[in-house]
Amino acid sequence: MSGHLNRRDSLRGGTGNARTRWWLARSSLGIALAGLLLVVPGAAIAARTVYVGAGPSQIAVVDADTYLVTSTISLPAPAAGLTVNRNGTRLYVANGASLYVLDTTSRALLATVSVGAFETGGADPVLNAAGTRVYVANASGNAVVVVDATTNALVTSIAVGVGPSAVAVTPDDARVYVANSFSHSISVIDTATNTVTATIPIEGRSPQPRAIAINPAGTRAYVVNLNAQSISV
C-alpha cells in the first residue's frame, strides 16, 4: 500500500546491537497506519503487541510500549493485509490467493485457506463481532470471500462490484458493506443469506471509494474516496 512517511520511531531489534528501523507509514487514505499494522489489547497478551508486514514473507512482532522487535513470524508468502481476533489469540493474514491463520502465542501456522485464484488486493481481512466469520476482499476476483473462523473453512464467495478494496461489518453482524473502487459503489451484503441486497452508487466523477467504516450504533457508514479526496456518509 502506498503512503507517505508519517512517524519516525525506531523499532529496535531485541538482541545485540542490531537495530531495525521500521517506518510506520500512513496509508494514502490517511485513516489507518499502513493497513499492515494493528494493536492487540493488553488484556489478550501480556503486553500490547503490534504486528507489521516486514519484508519478504515475514511479520515483525513489536512491543508497542518499548518499540522492541520481540520476534518475527515466517510466512509462506508476503503479507497483503492482516487482522487479529478480539481476544488476541488468532492472527489472520491475507496474501495472494490464501488466508493464513496463525496462533499468536506459539506463532504457528494453523491453517491456509484458499480464497480464490486472484490477488486479495491488500485489504485487511475483517472479523465480525462474534468472531465467527472472516471477510476477505478479493479485488481482482470482484468478490468477498467468507471464511468460518471456527473451522477455518471456506464458506462462500460473494460477487460484488469491481475492485473491492475494503470491508466493514455492522456491530450486529447483520450486514457487510464493501467499497468497490472501480465501479464506484458500495455493496451491501446480508450475512444471513450471503447475498448482495443493495448496491449504493458513490456520487461524483470516478470517486474511487477505498476505505469504509461503520459507527458503533450501526446507523452510518463512512466511505473515503481516493480520487475525489472526500468522505461520503
Side-chain angles (χ1 to χ4, degrees):
M1 179 177 291
S2 62
H4 61 274
L5 297 180
N6 175 264
R7 184 173 176 179
R8 297 187 178 183
D9 294 324
S10 177
L11 303 182
R12 298 178 294 279
T15 58
N17 295 322
R19 290 195 175 196
T20 303
R21 190 166 189 84
W22 302 96
W23 295 97
L24 303 185
R26 278 199 178 275
S27 74
S28 57
L29 305 176
I31 291 182
L33 286 173
L36 293 181
L37 187 149
L38 46 96
V39 177
V40 179
I45 295 178
R48 292 196 313 136
T49 305
V50 178
Y51 296 91
V52 185
S57 306
Q58 281 193 330
I59 293 174
V61 182
V62 181
D63 186 302
D65 296 315
T66 65
Y67 298 153
L68 288 173
V69 179
T70 58
S71 64
T72 58
I73 302 172
S74 295
L75 296 172
L82 45 110
T83 195
V84 164
N85 64 353
R86 283 177 175 262
N87 61 12
T89 60
R90 295 290 183 270
L91 174 65
Y92 296 89
V93 183
N95 176 276
S98 299
L99 177 72
Y100 304 130
V101 184
L102 296 103
D103 184 301
T104 58
T105 301
S106 67
R107 318 296 195 210
L109 178 63
L110 301 178
T112 300
V113 187
S114 176
V115 293
F118 301 95
E119 293 296 320
T120 53
D124 293 332
V126 175
L127 279 146
N128 63 356
T132 58
R133 292 289 185 271
V134 185
Y135 297 92
V136 184
N138 185 330
S140 297
N142 300 326
V144 168
V145 176
V146 185
V147 175
D148 187 313
T150 303
T151 63
N152 296 324
L154 178 68
V155 176
T156 191
S157 179
I158 306 167
V160 291
V162 182
S165 59
V167 176
V169 185
T170 56
D172 62 1
D173 290 344
R175 295 178 303 281
V176 172
Y177 288 78
V178 185
N180 304 307
S181 288
F182 301 119
S183 55
H184 313 291
S185 64
I186 304 298
S187 296
V188 183
I189 296 172
D190 183 320
T191 59
T193 61
N194 287 324
T195 58
V196 174
T197 59
T199 300
I200 306 168
I202 301 295
E203 296 181 358
R205 183 176 180 180
S206 300
Q208 198 174 357
R210 289 293 299 273
I212 187 166
I214 297 172
N215 68 345
T219 56
R220 293 287 186 274
Y222 298 85
V223 182
V224 175
N225 304 306
L226 180 62
N227 283 353
Q229 298 185 15
S230 64
I231 294 178
S232 300
V233 182

